[in-house]
Amino acid sequence: MPLLMIEPDRAALPTESDLVVPGGEVRAIKLGCGQLLAVTDLEGGQPAGLFAVSDADPEIFLSPHHTRVFSNSFALRLGMRLVTNKRRPVMVLGVSAPHLVHDLLMPLTEGEPAGADALKGRVAAVLHEAGARVAKVADPVNLFLSIAIRRDGSLTPAGVSSRPGDILVFRAVMDLTLAIAAPRPDPRLWQRPAPGPLRVQVRNDLDSIVGLPHRE
């Protein structure tokens, strides 16, 4: 498992935490270098918008654009590193089921009358409330969202790849403040009767993560 390649000193890790992001809302959480971040789609069919800002420098933030260039990939895959706008690693994806797809292309939005600006406004607000100094709210990494690329280069939304209980786990390599959004459905990208909840866990070892296959 890729995230096991990094073995931090557990005695020095911050306190563990967890939260549930209600459907249609955004929540912030702290993630320390060496800690694990687990994100679970509780009901299935709900994408998660992942935003992150460095605690050390508000000018450094998670960037899907730089991640695409750094990794030479339009989609986040198992073992890949997410990087900042300075191409510094932020975290590595260590657990993701084979059927899951995660997008690095789309500026995740919500259906009208919200949209990208309203969603980013809510993200900025929760980051500020969590004490993060936010210089810019970049586009998110779109967990669970599937976007197909045609031969002519056009993008085709392919829905949400997650089923109820599907879980991802990352290992952080930087101290971060995260914002995780459970956006309202956008008919241009995915359909759902109503937005669903996401479970977020910050843990110091794999065995304490609830929902991992064969580890409960």
Side-chain angles (χ1 to χ4, degrees):
M1 196 174 295
L3 58 82
L4 295 180
M5 295 170 62
I6 305 169
E7 284 297 341
D9 179 5
R10 289 184 174 82
L13 294 177
T15 303
E16 297 180 337
S17 58
D18 62 89
L19 58 83
V20 171
V21 183
E25 299 191 20
V26 184
R27 294 289 186 270
I29 197 166
K30 293 287 187 177
L31 180 67
C33 181
Q35 286 191 303
L36 301 168
L37 171 71
V39 181
T40 305
D41 182 358
L42 292 174
E43 296 180 355
Q46 174 63 49
L50 176 63
F51 304 79
V53 179
S54 166
D55 285 345
D57 185 345
E59 300 288 340
I60 296 176
F61 48 84
L62 172 61
S63 170
H65 167 70
H66 290 82
T67 298
R68 292 196 304 266
V69 174
F70 182 84
S71 301
N72 193 31
S73 176
F74 291 109
L76 177 63
R77 303 188 306 272
L78 189 66
M80 273 180 55
R81 286 176 290 177
L82 296 173
V83 303
T84 70
N85 54 313
K86 304 296 183 182
R87 298 194 185 185
R88 294 177 54 196
V90 173
M91 60 182 85
V92 58
L93 178 59
V95 174
S96 180
H99 67 273
L100 293 175
V101 181
H102 317 290
D103 170 63
L104 296 171
L105 285 167
M106 299 298 293
L108 188 63
T109 63
E110 296 179 310
E112 298 300 336
D117 289 342
L119 179 59
K120 285 188 175 182
R122 301 207 310 277
V123 169
V126 301
L127 287 172
H128 280 297
E129 289 173 6
R133 297 172 295 151
V134 182
K136 175 183 178 180
V137 177
D139 289 333
V141 172
N142 301 315
L143 306 178
F144 308 124
L145 185 65
S146 179
I147 302 294
I149 303 175
R150 293 180 175 175
R151 291 185 177 222
D152 63 1
S154 62
L155 304 179
T156 303
V160 182
S161 62
S162 50
R163 305 163 185 164
D166 274 339
I167 187 169
L168 305 176
V169 183
F170 299 87
R171 175 86 76 179
V173 293
M174 180 184 294
D175 291 335
L176 301 164
T177 300
L178 307 178
I180 298 175
R184 304 179 185 104
D186 184 339
R188 296 166 295 182
L189 297 177
W190 83 95
Q191 298 283 352
R192 203 177 192 282
L198 303 166
R199 182 174 188 172
V200 181
Q201 303 173 71
V202 172
R203 295 289 183 263
N204 293 338
D205 60 77
L206 278 172
D207 290 332
S208 64
I209 296 175
V210 176
L212 273 184
H214 311 301
R215 285 185 171 270
E216 291 191 80

